[in-house]
Amino acid sequence: MHLLNEALARAHCYERLAEADAERRANGARKVQRLERRAARAARRARRLTAAALAAAGRAA
């Protein structure tokens, strides 16, 4: 009986470790997606500002 309880406890620990690992991976994926969206917004803003600066320079010339 003692070995059975030990095996169940070990299985439970492995299961919890697997769940924690899966959660860590999911959090990492969400973080990557968030950073990609932020980079895309920054790139759009930079293009918009560049276009505005070129238009202003064209009007000034």
Side-chain angles (χ1 to χ4, degrees), residues 12-30:
H12 181 70
C13 286
Y14 285 134
E15 183 179 331
R16 296 288 293 147
L17 285 171
E19 288 172 4
D21 187 47
E23 188 172 336
R24 248 190 319 278
R25 289 175 193 260
N27 286 341
R30 280 192 292 271

Side-chain angles (χ1 to χ4, degrees), residues 1 10-11 15-16 18 23-24 29 35-36 42-43 46 49 54-55 57-58:
M1 187 65 177
R10 188 175 295 111
E15 183 179 331
R16 296 288 293 147
E23 188 172 336
R24 248 190 319 278
L35 291 174
E36 286 176 345
L49 291 173
L54 290 174

Side-chain angles (χ1 to χ4, degrees), residues 37-59:
R37 284 192 304 268
R38 184 181 298 171
R41 277 194 306 269
R44 284 193 303 271
R45 182 171 187 262
R47 283 193 297 274
R48 214 171 31 248
L49 291 173
T50 301
L54 290 174
R59 285 191 301 266

